[in-house]
Amino acid sequence: MFRSRSWFGGGWGRPKNPHSLERLKYLHNILCKNTTVSESNRGTLVESLRCIAEILIWGDQNDSSVFDFFLEKNMLSYFLRIMRQKCGGSSYVCVQLLQTLNILFENIRNETSLYYLLSNNHVNSIIVHKFDFSDEEVMAYYISFLKTLSLKLNNHTIHFFYNEHTKDFPLYTEAIKFFNHTESMVRIAVRTLTLNVYRVQDASMLRFIRDRTAAPYFSNLVWFIGKHILELDACVRNDADHQSQQKLDDLVAEHLDHLHYINDILCLNIPDLNDVLTEHLLHKLLVPLYIYSLTSDSTRRHATSSPYNRDHIQSIEVITRNLEAILKGKNTEVSPGRINFPRRMESEEETKPSVSCVVSLFLLSQVFLIITHGPIVHALAWIILQSDLSVFEDGATKILEMYISNAKSNVKLEFSKPQLSLEKALESTSGHERDYTTPEYSGPKVFGYDTDHSSCDLDPELVSTSLPSTSQISESSSIAHDSTEDLVTQIHSMKSSELTSPKENMPDSPLPDSGIESGSSKTCSELNNITDEEKQKLLGATPTTTRERSLTLDSILERENKEIEKRPFLKTILDSLDCSENDYKALFALCLLFALINNKGVNTELLDTLLCPEPEIIGAMSSTANIETEATSNESSEQTPPTPAVRCSMQSFNILLISKLMTIANLSCKPASKVRLVTLELSVTLMRIAMQGASGVAGGRHLSAADTLRSRAAALARNFYKCDDIFLDMFEDEYCEMSKRPLNVEWLCMDAAILLPPTRTPMSGIAFAKRLPSGEMERARRAIRTFFLIRDLYLKLTGKPETQLPLTNPAPFVQVGDVLDLNDSDLISCDIIQKDGTWHHRFLAVDNIQIILVEPDKQRLGWGIAKLVGSLQDLEIQGDKEDPRCLHLTIHKPRVGASGALPRTVLLRAKFKFDDHIRSMAAKQRLTKGRTKSRQKKMQQIGRLLEVSGVSAPTMAPRHRPLFSRPGLTAVRRSTGSDGDDTDRRLRRPSAHMLKDGIVVYRERTTSRERILPWSTQSDNISRKVLAVMDSLRSSVSRNSSTHGSRDSSPRSRPEDIPLEDIRKSTGMAGNDSATPVTQPSQPSTSTQLPKQSNSSEETSFISADAPRPKRKGLVETI
Amino acid sequence: MSYAYLFKYIIIGDTGVGKSCLLLQFTDKRFQPVHDLTIGVEFGARMITIDGKQIKLQIWDTAGQEAFRSITRSYYRGAAGALLVYDITRRDTFNHLTTWLEDARQHSNSNMVIMLIGNKSDLESRREVKKEEGEAFAREHGLVFMETSAKTAANVEEAFINTAKEIYEKIQEGVFDINNEANGIKIGPQHSTSGGASGAGGAGAAGAAGGGCC
């Protein structure tokens, strides 16, 4: 429509067809005539560039001559020329240019076209062009362009971007400059690009990445993360009132992003890259910042008194500040040496950066949850579990100093050792250094130059060698030496552990190939008879340990308690489990332990420290006698140094851990406990793992402890056991909630809300399980859930199946569509009128737990099809004020297991219209009673679970008696829901129940159930007597009833008098009749279906009605 | 050109549902849909006006990055709005919506506005997913729903702009913390001295150049 408004007045003979070669020629002409960008031709150029993109893509898909022309005229060079002009409004043109390029590279399908486009190096020139990156739009288009290119990378195209001869890879090096851009989308694009680059398996390119860029990039990345978590820590420290929860959310999510990014890199499995990344992570971030923050303040103060520490631990601070200066101030000319060393002196008095213990535990949990790269997680786990501060405790500063003075030479020794075998490594080292100082290598290299050196500020020689060595030395031991040395220099506490614990650790050095496995690798080297000073150190330290051990043996727990003093990090974690004040720290400690134990990258033998009780302990713990233990432990510790084969010589803290967890669980069983549910759930989970150990079977000691715990939890829940509707609903809802949402620790650790001190108020928006209960209702909920959790622990430890929960077993439920034999059932005809006016005619039948609306089955007389099934328990019944024939019913979906979702689903809300007011009243009464009844039954079930006194007798046991059978079974269940058997049964409960199912149930329960029902053993004798009596009673009654039954079973005999007779008069006889025969398998009197029913009938919900009775019964009733 | 707010969007959905075409169609109207040409982009920006305020939309396509968990995670979190796209001619793309939605809900800011888009509505003859099904899915999950065609440009404007309107409303209600850029919302520069040229991007050019090319 604007065609007349063309910029060239149309006088240039512009081809009509926008997609044609002619058109491209025309556009080429425009570019030729407008080599200089000016105010006047800007619009023209932009439009031409846009059209070029369009035509090229069209050509790529339709006409190859278009592309030939583009290449022939070298049109990309025009692009470059335009770009390089600094005239006004160029960003406007640049944006279009970048968009054109984006479109071009994204839409080209023809591979040859792509190669041609890339072949003349124009693209690289565009990449290195210094656009105006302060312009948000230019930045966004530029980074998208780079990202688009990275998606085109493969083994062929990589050569267009990476020049092997000039060692140049602008796409990558330019992009990583923006890794820390303020715009999140830019950062993400950079990460995408790096990952896309890494996954191209080109050896030469990867070598370049590793040698030239890995150290600077990763050290920066790591520093960036470190800075980030310091911010996170500050946020946590300053926010006791939950004010900046959103900011905290972002910071936590950001940290997760970092970890996932690192994990994505590690998962690409590029060994060289992983080595460098692992080193940087461990040495510059995870150990100095995360793990070191675990040490308690006192330990740290003590530790810092050594000169070694002051010098080195703070290095992260120095690095941090240097990097900050570099990134902000760009004073790249200053030699790193000049920045670093004076600074280090100055900052001696300053505190080194660290985060609070809570944050550190939280972050470490995330690390263990996300990263599974063996060398990293195993090293971390080793440090946490094994590192040892005994040297400091001894006040052995001399040893320390000696070690320190040797440290440098040690490093050198290590450093020089690979020289012999690895000349190549050194060559590349020198080359590597030279490259970094090459001035013409601008941009990222300058960037990397500083950071690399600043990161080297601890041991420059070390880091500079670490690259080649890790990559080229195939011998794992030497790598391990390198890394251990670095670890040692990083953190003094490590060093002490290196000195002492390899002895203990010796047997389990199962990962010879993992580079960072300090303890065990060192052990390897030692065993290999590599003589160096370090080995002497190790040997020198041995006596100390041995002495220590022999002195501290008192009782196992005491010993573990004492041992733990020597492991600062593990001690902090275990100490954090103390919930006496609150469970703030404990939750994170639990998360960390859980993550550690479940991390696939951590060697299982290392976990024995936590999970495996020493064999002698297992024997000894049954009694508290210590002498024996002492002896055995002594023995074992003496054996330890020479024979590495004794696995359990490794100090275990299993007993200590379990006792701590048990304390948490016990605390949660107290009414005013400060333990949150999530903490308990995690403790319980861990307790199970710790108790079962490697064998998977918990010892008797643990079982009895768990049982005691269970009764405590039951006692707690009992406080709230009331016979009101709310308790039952709450009980079932909590069960549903719990089975629906089992604990997911990974998700838990994504939630920043837990980083803030535990709160009580629901107005904080924090989920119930993650805060303390507020008010009586929530205290009840908490008690109920505590009970569930602990009961679950108990069952899992004992290996018993859950048979009592959920309260309702869905198996015997009538389902919609089931065809039911309703001969001789109480059926009340009614019309159902819904709000929208829809109208149905149905028959109402009432089961023990269900309300069933049926429609006659046209095929079989007396049978009906269930059209709607709802639970009686939640039925809402209301009379109609105007019409006495009507009732208003709200029917809910049965609450079944985990599917009983909240809010309850309403199946039907409608007006039920009966034939007359009598039937209406009868229906109302039957429904009301059914509702009460089914609730009472469940309350009794709960009572049994909670061991409420007076509810425990089996006679009281609520049983669900399914009334209807489904067709297709060998025998059909008959409906006996008639004749008010509810009332009847209640009236004669004891005998009736005994008669019906008590006999069977009772016996089996006594034998099969051990402790769930404490009454069983005691009352066994009595019950037997009762049984005998009942037996005789039964036979008489049943005979009696059979006659009645036959009388009543004629369906039409009393259609008119059902309601009144049934309910009002409680139909002593009738009810009795209909019900009793059913229980008699041998009863010949009634229909053939009866025997079947008898068994299924009164048994609780757990019985599948369809199951073959005789065998099934025993099983089922062990409930 | 300065703006009051900048909203970041992401486009998600199976490959081949036409995400990048939708994006280009919206951000640069000058690319007129032609039957024998399929063009898409992974990034685009455009200015729109809501309630008299200039709002810049920045749209990032996440295609090709699904392999890396860290990347999808971050993308979701950095966006204020998401277009969840399926192809009405391919049932499987509709079936995968639940997975996409779960991912989005898990990783994104809880306030993120998600719009469900049934794309390729021009291919009525090959339709496999009924419009009603899309509507039902959207209703069930609380999304806004629309069928679009990147080819004919039907509803494309509306899809992006309606999403923006919803975000804008949430800002007015104070649901979004606009000072927190991690939400995918940015307040525009207070003083834009660079004149109309810089930052105008495709949209500005679209206005100026209109249909000049054809």
Side-chain angles (χ1 to χ4, degrees), chain A residues 99-111:
Chain A
Q99 196 211 25
T100 297
L101 289 164
N102 256 336
I103 291 177
L104 209 56
F105 283 99
E106 197 184 327
N107 292 283
I108 280 185
R109 296 175 197 166
N110 193 329
E111 229 166 72

Side-chain angles (χ1 to χ4, degrees), chain A residues 258-553:
Chain A
H258 293 315
L259 291 181
H260 278 293
Y261 174 53
I262 286 167
N263 192 49
D264 277 342
I265 299 177
L266 294 169
C267 287
L268 289 172
N269 256 325
I270 304 156
D272 291 354
L273 225 49
N274 283 3
D275 288 346
V276 184
L277 182 55
T278 302
E279 260 188 46
H280 277 275
L281 271 177
L282 282 176
H283 303 175
K284 309 286 181 245
L285 182 72
L286 296 177
V287 173
L289 198 50
Y290 290 40
I291 294 203
Y292 192 72
S293 298
L294 280 182
T295 45
S296 61
D297 287 335
S298 58
T299 336
R300 216 185 294 155
R301 227 174 289 124
H302 182 68
T304 34
S305 64
S306 95
Y308 178 83
N309 254 316
R310 272 207 306 264
D311 219 20
H312 291 271
I313 300 301
Q314 69 200 6
S315 59
I316 181 81
E317 161 92 333
V318 178
I319 295 168
T320 306
R321 282 207 270 100
N322 287 341
L323 282 176
E324 205 164 19
I326 290 155
L327 290 175
K328 279 187 189 160
K330 311 143 220 148
N331 53 345
T332 45
E333 291 79 26
V334 188
S335 98
R338 254 182 288 152
I339 301 174
N340 294 328
F341 293 107
R343 275 280 186 90
R344 196 202 291 185
M345 294 303 150
E346 285 163 26
S347 57
E348 239 171 272
E349 297 309 312
E350 293 174 29
T351 49
K352 58 210 162 297
S354 67
V355 296
S356 66
C357 182
V358 172
V359 171
S360 150
L361 288 168
F362 180 69
L363 297 177
L364 277 169
S365 314
Q366 292 186 336
V367 169
F368 278 106
L369 285 169
I370 294 168
I371 295 177
T372 50
H373 183 61
I376 289 182
V377 288
H378 190 76
L380 278 184
W382 189 90
I383 292 166
I384 288 172
L385 297 175
Q386 301 286 1
S387 53
D388 190 317
L389 271 186
S390 58
V391 180
F392 296 108
E393 284 177 348
D394 292 348
T397 36
K398 284 216 168 168
I399 301 174
L400 180 66
E401 277 161 16
M402 252 175 64
Y403 188 82
I404 297 156
S405 60
N406 281 326
K408 288 285 168 186
S409 58
N410 242 346
V411 172
K412 282 198 174 126
L413 196 76
E414 288 297 324
F415 172 41
S416 57
K417 235 167 105 194
Q419 283 177 354
L420 295 171
S421 55
L422 298 157
E423 277 140 336
K424 274 187 188 171
L426 283 174
E427 273 170 35
S428 85
T429 308
S430 51
H432 159 85
E433 276 167 357
R434 193 177 56 235
D435 284 334
Y436 272 91
T437 46
T438 315
E440 76 263 23
Y441 195 49
S442 58
K445 282 96 190 183
V446 172
F447 181 72
Y449 173 80
D450 298 294
T451 49
D452 189 41
H453 277 269
S454 55
S455 63
C456 291
D457 106 285
L458 279 183
D459 302 293
E461 69 276 39
L462 206 165
V463 176
S464 58
T465 50
S466 64
L467 284 182
S469 61
T470 37
S471 51
Q472 306 213 359
I473 302 170
S474 50
E475 295 293 310
S476 61
S477 60
S478 41
I479 297 173
H481 274 77
D482 265 2
S483 26
T484 23
E485 281 313 322
D486 208 1
L487 274 180
V488 166
T489 41
Q490 277 282 330
I491 195 158
H492 69 283
S493 49
M494 277 298 305
K495 166 189 35 71
S496 59
S497 61
E498 316 260 330
L499 287 171
T500 50
S501 27
K503 291 285 153 282
E504 300 171 350
N505 207 25
M506 228 190 297
D508 58 316
S509 47
L511 288 180
D513 54 330
S514 65
I516 311 298
E517 216 190 326
S518 22
S520 42
S521 312
K522 200 160 274 181
T523 311
C524 285
S525 62
E526 191 184 37
L527 293 174
N528 290 339
N529 277 330
I530 297 167
T531 326
D532 55 24
E533 284 182 63
E534 192 192 333
K535 183 190 161 193
Q536 287 169 0
K537 286 254 128 290
L538 287 167
L539 292 172
T542 313
T544 326
T545 351
T546 324
R547 193 189 58 221
E548 277 284 320
R549 293 192 75 165
S550 53
L551 284 176
T552 53
L553 296 173

Side-chain angles (χ1 to χ4, degrees), chain A residues 3 136-137 183 250 264, chain B residues 8 56 70 180 186 214:
Chain A
R3 193 159 296 176
E136 186 178 73
E137 189 118 341
E183 177 59 58
D250 290 329
D264 277 342
Chain B
K8 284 179 235 174
K56 186 169 183 175
S70 61
N180 183 356
K186 212 165 140 182
C214 28

Side-chain angles (χ1 to χ4, degrees), chain A residues 482-662:
Chain A
D482 265 2
S483 26
T484 23
E485 281 313 322
D486 208 1
L487 274 180
V488 166
T489 41
Q490 277 282 330
I491 195 158
H492 69 283
S493 49
M494 277 298 305
K495 166 189 35 71
S496 59
S497 61
E498 316 260 330
L499 287 171
T500 50
S501 27
K503 291 285 153 282
E504 300 171 350
N505 207 25
M506 228 190 297
D508 58 316
S509 47
L511 288 180
D513 54 330
S514 65
I516 311 298
E517 216 190 326
S518 22
S520 42
S521 312
K522 200 160 274 181
T523 311
C524 285
S525 62
E526 191 184 37
L527 293 174
N528 290 339
N529 277 330
I530 297 167
T531 326
D532 55 24
E533 284 182 63
E534 192 192 333
K535 183 190 161 193
Q536 287 169 0
K537 286 254 128 290
L538 287 167
L539 292 172
T542 313
T544 326
T545 351
T546 324
R547 193 189 58 221
E548 277 284 320
R549 293 192 75 165
S550 53
L551 284 176
T552 53
L553 296 173
D554 209 352
S555 76
I556 288 141
L557 199 56
E558 204 177 308
R559 189 184 71 181
E560 288 191 4
N561 262 319
K562 224 165 198 164
E563 281 293 322
I564 199 82
E565 290 296 330
K566 292 193 267 167
R567 310 228 172 147
F569 306 128
L570 188 58
K571 179 179 187 317
T572 307
I573 295 171
L574 292 184
D575 285 353
S576 303
L577 293 176
D578 177 19
C579 289
S580 48
E581 291 238 331
N582 60 43
D583 66 346
Y584 185 31
K585 266 191 194 176
L587 180 57
F588 303 110
L590 291 166
C591 286
L592 177 54
L593 288 171
F594 180 90
L596 191 81
I597 288 168
N598 287 292
N599 191 299
K600 289 193 194 77
V602 178
N603 191 282
T604 45
E605 281 170 45
L606 191 55
L607 293 178
D608 287 347
T609 313
L610 291 172
L611 301 184
C612 174
E614 298 177 31
E616 69 268 28
I617 290 172
I618 298 171
M621 278 311 278
S622 50
S623 69
T624 41
N626 300 323
I627 309 145
E628 201 187 2
T629 323
E630 218 170 80
T632 42
S633 306
N634 260 328
E635 209 175 69
S636 74
S637 62
E638 273 159 22
Q639 283 172 356
T640 312
T643 50
V646 182
R647 188 176 130 178
C648 284
S649 61
M650 192 161 85
Q651 178 61 48
S652 167
F653 298 97
N654 180 261
I655 310 294
L656 185 61
L657 174 66
I658 290 175
S659 83
K660 297 257 183 193
L661 294 172
M662 199 53 107

Side-chain angles (χ1 to χ4, degrees), chain A residues 2-3 5 7 14 19 23 42 46-47 50-51 53-54 57-58 61-62 91-92 95-96 99 103 106-107 109 135-137 140-141 143-144 147-148 151 183-185 188-189 191-192 195-196 199 246 250 253-254 256-257 260-261 264 268 746-747 750, chain B residues 3 6 8 10 20 24 28 30-32 34 36-45 56 58 60-61 63-65 67-71 73-75 77-79 106 109 177 180 182-183 186 197-202 205 208-214:
Chain A
F2 295 118
R3 193 159 296 176
R5 218 194 75 199
W7 305 284
R14 190 155 55 106
H19 301 139
R23 174 71 185 208
R42 238 170 41 187
V46 165
E47 184 53 24
R50 194 199 63 76
C51 289
E54 195 172 336
I57 301 310
W58 174 84
Q61 293 169 11
N62 298 289
S91 81
Y92 175 49
V95 164
Q96 182 56 62
Q99 196 211 25
I103 291 177
E106 197 184 327
N107 292 283
R109 296 175 197 166
D135 186 316
E136 186 178 73
E137 189 118 341
Y141 273 103
I143 208 73
S144 302
K147 194 189 76 186
T148 305
L151 286 165
E183 177 59 58
S184 70
M185 288 296 185
I188 300 166
R191 287 187 215 150
T192 316
L195 288 166
N196 285 335
R199 77 172 155 185
Q246 188 155 29
D250 290 329
E254 190 85 1
L256 286 168
D257 279 355
H260 278 293
Y261 174 53
D264 277 342
L268 289 172
E746 201 176 330
W747 287 13
M750 286 175 170
Chain B
Y3 52 80
L6 182 146
K8 284 179 235 174
I10 51 168
S20 57
L24 185 65
D28 205 334
R30 295 166 300 164
F31 286 91
Q32 305 231 324
V34 186
D36 58 351
L37 184 64
T38 326
I39 307 188
V41 286
E42 283 176 352
F43 171 77
K56 186 169 183 175
Q58 233 185 37
W60 301 77
D61 185 358
Q65 288 134 51
F68 302 112
R69 193 174 167 195
S70 61
I71 303 301
R73 247 190 74 88
S74 324
Y75 265 121
R77 232 164 30 75
Q106 195 195 332
N109 178 313
D177 176 11
N180 183 356
N183 280 337
K186 212 165 140 182
S198 77
C213 62
C214 28

Side-chain angles (χ1 to χ4, degrees), chain A residues 81 190 217 237 378 402 415 524 640 741 765 802 1030 1104:
Chain A
R81 217 172 298 153
V190 172
Y217 177 54
R237 278 179 210 268
H378 190 76
M402 252 175 64
F415 172 41
C524 285
T640 312
R741 293 202 195 98
E802 173 63 89
M1030 290 308 163
S1104 153

